[in-house]
Amino acid sequence: MQILKDKILKEGKASNGGVLKVDSFINHQIDPMLMKSIASTFLKKFSSKEITKIVTIEASGIAPAVLLGYLLEVPVVFVKKAKPKTMENMLVSSVYSFTKDTTYPIFISKEYIKPEDKVLFIDDFLANGNAALSVLGLLEQTKAKVIGMGFVIEKSFQNGGKLLREKGIDVVSLARVKELADNKIIFETEEN
Ligand code: 5GP
């Protein structure tokens, strides 16, 4: 997705340890116009699939997920990183965070994902795939069908994309970064 790649080149910062900072349009300040284009692109890429629910994980996946949910006219469920006292029928898994170097629990209520649901998972980044695989584990417990996973940015020099694709999951990434070095950001020529 060219406008996304242009924005990453203009405002993204490659920091040490293979982390791409995109705080000015995804992770802190949000660019709603870009998010709308991101959602429209996901809509086209998954147009052949029936989708009844979008699932994302808080916090940065929520913006693209909600805009896509709006376009598809389906509800969006965000996996929580803290257990609310009021939440019932809760399923739990745990995720190792690459950016924070810690493990944290994640939660989803069975109330909002039913076995007959056809789920599209959306997130901001795909790195080692820990978050996505953990959410997949939660969704397996709900018995819903995962029809695909969409990421705004995939870092293809990490293993997540390979792991998910090997599981037969339809993975769509709108910008694939193959190298982050000396403040240089280099993309794969193919998007998926
Ligand atoms: P994974 O679980 O695939 O290793 O990492 C996915 C999660 O870690 C994403 O939801 C995102 O929050 C965070 N993340 C991983 N790599 C990066 C990165 O390079 N930059 C930013 N901003 N977040 C990242």
Side-chain angles (χ1 to χ4, degrees):
M1 185 184 165
Q2 197 55 49
I3 54 165
L4 172 63
K5 289 185 194 170
D6 292 344
K7 185 86 166 175
I8 295 169
L9 288 177
K10 195 164 162 233
E11 297 185 22
K13 290 185 183 69
S15 62
N16 292 340
V19 173
L20 176 62
K21 281 195 71 167
V22 286
D23 286 354
S24 67
F25 57 102
I26 295 178
N27 290 134
H28 193 22
Q29 176 171 257
I30 295 170
D31 179 340
M33 286 67 73
L34 179 67
M35 284 299 166
K36 188 178 164 222
S37 304
I38 285 169
S40 302
T41 308
F42 279 135
L43 185 72
K44 277 190 213 118
K45 301 258 182 193
F46 289 105
S47 61
S48 64
K49 308 263 176 119
E50 190 198 348
I51 297 163
T52 63
K53 257 188 203 166
I54 304 216
V55 169
T56 186
I57 180 162
E58 62 180 350
S60 299
I62 295 176
V66 167
L67 286 170
L68 182 56
Y70 174 79
L71 295 176
L72 283 166
E73 299 185 10
V74 300
V76 177
V77 180
F78 63 95
V79 170
K80 289 178 170 268
K81 292 180 177 170
K83 183 183 166 188
K85 279 193 190 126
T86 52
M87 202 156 133
E88 286 170 10
N89 298 323
M90 200 179 45
L91 300 167
V92 186
S93 185
S94 65
V95 182
Y96 172 73
S97 164
F98 164 80
T99 41
K100 298 191 180 92
D101 192 23
T102 53
T103 299
Y104 59 89
I106 57 169
F107 306 90
I108 198 166
S109 168
K110 270 198 284 193
E111 205 172 322
Y112 301 115
I113 306 288
K114 299 293 180 197
E116 60 273 20
D117 272 320
K118 295 179 179 65
V119 172
L120 174 63
F121 176 72
I122 294 290
D123 203 4
D124 59 340
F125 270 90
L126 174 61
N128 289 310
N130 295 312
L133 286 166
S134 217
V135 171
L136 210 55
L138 284 181
L139 292 172
E140 268 165 21
Q141 295 178 62
T142 68
K143 309 256 189 312
K145 186 165 185 230
V146 178
I147 65 93
M149 294 188 147
F151 300 91
V152 179
I153 302 171
E154 174 180 341
K155 294 188 296 179
S156 58
F157 57 89
Q158 289 178 271
N159 224 17
K162 188 168 171 278
L163 289 174
L164 295 176
R165 291 179 180 102
E166 274 173 5
K167 281 179 160 288
I169 293 167
D170 183 7
V171 178
V172 168
S173 305
L174 303 186
R176 299 182 76 215
V177 176
K178 70 172 176 188
E179 210 181 319
L180 290 174
D182 303 328
N183 244 336
K184 261 212 293 216
I185 301 165
I186 300 159
F187 295 103
E188 301 272 6
T189 41
E190 294 291 318
E191 279 175 5
N192 290 314

